[in-house]
């Protein structure tokens, strides 16, 4: 892939880079054994500060199927993080040992922060409630495999659009394709954050925000269900108010298009009833398998990068971002990276506006 040093956000991927990646992915799907030694001698560091099944396992199996190896942790308590090591130092050490770092944390902007200090590619496997670009690559692969192309689609995104990082990345990515209409379906409390809505407006995308699923369902070509993200709620009562608000059942699907794709990044809680699994429109388990193939394509591309020396950054003098989940709140040495947006400034790590 042409010059993508890190994968922090899908925004950075051009359509040419996506085409190259997807072409490679299809080649891998068709001839997996031809790639069995493609990453022989390469090592992936897998740093999971937050729970994961699909993302961590699919990255590990992707690397193994390419002939490479993996080290890392799935519980930061078992690493020097528990002794107080900074993210910067952990990344510098892992970048000395490995060829790529795959990282998931609960802090928004952490992958960007890590990339500032890494000599090797950093791949964002989820940074808090912010972004999840490799899930989006999985989602785009699924749409392409099932539909042949991406474009001219009514896409419903349903559930916790405030905290759901998969949805944020998917909206960013789909905005680059022609004629997409977004149906943002969520309780009012869990609506998509301002930086996502701003992105849609700036890119002149068609979208509506609604609270009910049933009215939009017959119009949709893709329904992307998500769970209410319990772990991101500070108020347990707010979670109780919003949980189980959407439940897709086979009966509700009677009113949907015959070629609808029902997608879900998984894990599901109760937002898709089990009787939907046998409906041919339900593609979420296949979607998880495509995730492994597109991650093989990604690792193969990124592990062949030459090591580079990152520039040195000034040591920060304390966070100016007020988002309590922003990585700048816990890693105080980070530089304050911001950009001007209409009516103010935005933190480059978490993308929240600085009041
Ligand atoms: C998602 C995640 O971790 O954000 N899962 C995944 O990576 N497939 C979705 C979720 O946890 O709800």
């Amino acid at each position: 892939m042409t010059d993508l040093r890190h994968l922090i956000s899908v925004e950075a991927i051009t359509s040419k880079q996506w085409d190259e990646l997807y072409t490679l992915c299809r080649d891998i799907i068709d001839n997996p054994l031809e790639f069995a030694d493609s990453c022989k001698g390469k090592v992936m560091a897998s740093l999971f500060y937050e729970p994961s099944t699909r993302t961590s396992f699919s990255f590990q199996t992707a690397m193994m199927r390419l002939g490479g190896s993996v080290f890392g942790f799935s519980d930061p308590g078992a690493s020097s993080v528990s002794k107080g090591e900074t993210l910067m130092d952990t990344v510098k050490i892992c970048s000395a040992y490995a060829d790529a770092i795959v990282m998931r944390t609960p802090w928004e902007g952490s992958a960007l922060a890590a990339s500032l200090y890494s000599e090797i590619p950093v791949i964002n496997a989820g940074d808090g409630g912010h972004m999840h670009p490799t899930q989006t690559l999985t989602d785009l692969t699924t749409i392409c495999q099932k539909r042949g192309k991406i474009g001219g689609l009514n896409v419903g995104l349903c559930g916790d659009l405030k905290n759901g990082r998969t949805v944020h990345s998917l909206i960013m990515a789909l905005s680059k394709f022609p004629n997409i209409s977004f149906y943002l379906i969520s309780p009012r409390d869990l609506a998509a954050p301002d930086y996502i809505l701003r992105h849609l407006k700036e890119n002149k995308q068609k979208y509506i925000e609604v609270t009910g699923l049933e009215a939009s369902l017959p119009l949709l070509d893709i329904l992307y269900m998500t769970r209410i993200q319990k772990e991101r709620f500070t108020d347990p009562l707010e979670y109780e108010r919003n949980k189980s608000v959407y439940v897709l059942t086979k009966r509700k699907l009677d009113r949907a298009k015959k070629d609808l794709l029902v997608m879900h990044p998984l894990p599901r809680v109760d937002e898709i009833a089990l009787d939907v699994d046998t409906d041919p429109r339900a593609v979420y388990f296949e979607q998880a398998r495509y995730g492994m193939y597109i991650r093989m394509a990604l690792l193969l591309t990124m592990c062949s990068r030459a090591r580079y020396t990152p520039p040195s950054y000034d040591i920060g003098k304390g966070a100016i971002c007020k988002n309590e989940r922003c990585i700048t709140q816990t890693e105080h040495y980070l530089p304050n990276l911001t950009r001007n947006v209409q009516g103010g400034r935005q933190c480059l790590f978490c993308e929240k506006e600085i009041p």
Side-chain angles (χ1 to χ4, degrees), residues 192-233:
D194 288 345
Y195 64 89
I196 296 293
L197 299 179
R198 185 184 317 116
H199 177 90
L200 286 168
K201 283 180 202 138
E202 280 172 4
N203 288 279
K204 303 196 171 27
Q205 299 295 307
K206 279 193 269 172
Y207 75 91
I208 55 166
E209 294 184 275
V210 292
T211 52
L213 168 61
E214 277 77 357
S216 316
L217 192 54
L219 306 171
L220 301 179
D221 301 299
I222 292 177
L223 172 58
Y224 195 89
M225 294 296 292
T226 61
R227 83 186 158 91
I228 308 297
Q229 308 275 302
K230 185 177 183 186
E231 68 278 25
R232 310 269 180 240
F233 284 75

Side-chain angles (χ1 to χ4, degrees), residues 49 80-82 84-92 103 105-114 116-117 314-321 323-337 349:
Y49 295 74
S80 284
V81 174
S82 64
E85 184 168 67
T86 59
L87 179 67
M88 171 174 72
D89 285 359
T90 305
V91 165
K92 282 185 178 175
M103 195 178 102
T105 83
W107 311 295
E108 300 177 6
S110 53
L112 175 61
L116 302 182
Y117 307 103
D314 289 342
I315 297 172
K317 297 184 180 62
I320 58 167
C321 177
N323 170 13
E324 59 190 21
R325 295 171 181 181
C326 179
I327 188 68
T328 57
Q329 298 287 340
T330 49
E331 306 285 321
H332 300 295
Y333 52 83
L334 287 169
N336 280 311
L337 303 182
F349 292 98

Side-chain angles (χ1 to χ4, degrees), residues 51 54-55 104 132 135 165-166 227 229 231 264-267:
R54 272 146 299 275
T55 306
R104 166 175 290 189
H132 193 346
Q135 178 61 46
R165 54 193 171 195
T166 60
R227 83 186 158 91
Q229 308 275 302
E231 68 278 25
H264 194 306
L266 302 177

Side-chain angles (χ1 to χ4, degrees), residues 76-141:
S79 77
S80 284
V81 174
S82 64
K83 300 181 191 168
E85 184 168 67
T86 59
L87 179 67
M88 171 174 72
D89 285 359
T90 305
V91 165
K92 282 185 178 175
I93 296 306
C94 291
S95 98
Y97 300 153
D99 298 288
I101 294 175
V102 174
M103 195 178 102
R104 166 175 290 189
T105 83
W107 311 295
E108 300 177 6
S110 53
L112 175 61
S115 73
L116 302 182
Y117 307 103
S118 178
E119 294 182 7
I120 58 173
V122 172
I123 299 175
N124 183 3
D127 58 333
H130 181 221
M131 292 288 162
H132 193 346
T134 69
Q135 178 61 46
T136 297
L137 297 179
T138 301
D139 304 336
L140 298 182
T141 303

